[in-house]
Amino acid sequence: MTTYAFAPAPVVSVPVLGRPERFPVHRIYCVGRNYEDHAKEMGFTGREPPFFFLKPADAIVVAEAGQTATIPYPSLTSNLHHEIELVVAIGTGGRDIRAADAARHIYGYAVGLDMTRRDLQTDMKKQGRPWCIGKAYDKSAPIGPITLAAQAGDIHNAPIWLQVNGSDRQRSNVAKLIWNVAETIEHLSHAWELQPGDLIYTGTPEGVGAVVRGDTLNGGVEGLTPITVKVA
C-alpha cells in the first residue's frame, strides 16, 4: 500500500453537460497568437508556426452553467487581461496524430478564459525570459462545462464572443483560427504525447483588454454553455 508524506491534492475536474461523470484534467495546453487580428494587435503578423505554453491543472476555475464564478484579482499585476477561447477536451491520447484523425481523439468542447497578467508577460518578453508568471498563475483558467463533441454542432464555424459589464470586447468566429483544431492537435502531439484529460485552449481573437475588480465577464462560443466570471 502506497503512503504519502501528506494527503495528495484532489483531482481537478470539469463538469460534463448532461452527464453525471466529470472530466479529470491532466494538463492544460494553450496556443499563442492563433487569430490573425489578435496577432496583429500584439505586434505580429502572418501565419507563423504554432507555439504553445502550459498552465497547471489547478489553475482551473469552473464556471458552472447558469452561475457566476469568482476569480481574485491576482497579485503583482496592474494590467489583468481577458482572452476568450474555445477549449478542446481530449478523450483519447496519442502521439504524432494526423490532422485527418484528430476528431477521434476529441471528447468535447468548452468555453474558457486565458486570464493574463499582461504587464508581467510583457516584461518577461522584453528580457528574453520565460513568461509563465504572466500566464500560469493561480486561478488563471476559468472554464465552463464540457459539451460532448457529438452535441457541439458546427463548432468549427461558431461565433465566439466576450462582454465585460455587458459591453462587447471580443467578437469573432472560430473559423478564423490560423491553425484550426485538427492542425493544432497534429502539431501539439508532435511535441508531447497527448493524454486523456488534456485541455487545449485554442487561442483568442482580437479585442483583448484589461479588467478590474468588480468587472463581470460573460463569454461564449455558439453551441456551448457560456460562462460568467466576476473579478473579486
Side-chain angles (χ1 to χ4, degrees), residues 5-24:
F6 48 84
V11 174
V12 176
S13 65
V14 179
V16 180
L17 196 65
R19 299 178 71 94
E21 66 266 25
R22 295 176 69 91
F23 182 89

Side-chain angles (χ1 to χ4, degrees), residues 10-201:
V11 174
V12 176
S13 65
V14 179
V16 180
L17 196 65
R19 299 178 71 94
E21 66 266 25
R22 295 176 69 91
F23 182 89
V25 179
H26 177 243
R27 289 177 179 166
I28 302 173
Y29 298 98
C30 303
V31 188
R33 299 198 295 263
N34 203 21
Y35 285 81
E36 183 177 357
D37 287 342
H38 172 59
K40 289 178 179 178
E41 74 180 353
M42 299 303 290
F44 300 87
T45 59
R47 183 181 167 93
E48 61 185 324
F51 70 94
F52 308 97
F53 57 92
L54 285 83
K55 291 177 182 269
D58 62 3
I60 287 289
V61 176
V62 174
E64 300 281 355
Q67 300 182 23
T68 299
T70 300
I71 59 171
Y73 195 94
S75 62
L76 304 179
T77 186
S78 59
N79 194 19
L80 175 65
H81 276 210
H82 58 75
E83 298 189 8
I84 191 70
E85 312 210 0
L86 169 68
V87 182
V88 178
I90 297 297
T92 303
R95 183 185 294 277
D96 297 326
I97 298 166
R98 298 188 307 159
D101 299 326
R104 70 183 63 173
H105 294 265
I106 297 172
Y107 178 85
Y109 301 93
V111 180
L113 281 164
D114 167 19
M115 300 303 293
T116 303
R117 296 193 281 203
R118 189 72 73 200
D119 43 1
L120 300 184
Q121 182 194 30
T122 300
D123 186 52
M124 292 298 103
K125 285 181 178 180
K126 289 178 180 177
Q127 297 183 56
R129 295 176 177 177
W131 31 273
C132 303
I133 194 170
K135 288 285 193 178
Y137 62 90
D138 299 340
K139 303 185 186 303
S140 62
I143 189 173
I146 293 171
T147 297
L148 295 177
Q151 301 170 6
D154 188 10
I155 197 69
H156 305 293
N157 293 287
I160 181 172
W161 71 92
L162 180 82
Q163 295 183 327
V164 178
N165 301 327
S167 298
D168 273 11
R169 287 283 188 90
Q170 296 181 264
R171 192 166 289 273
S172 188
N173 193 292
V174 173
K176 294 184 178 182
L177 283 167
I178 296 172
W179 298 95
N180 65 33
V181 169
E183 292 169 331
T184 295
I185 289 173
E186 180 176 83
H187 283 280
L188 191 59
S189 69
H190 289 328
W192 291 274
E193 182 175 358
L194 295 181
Q195 300 289 337
D198 286 341
L199 295 174
I200 305 170
Y201 280 58

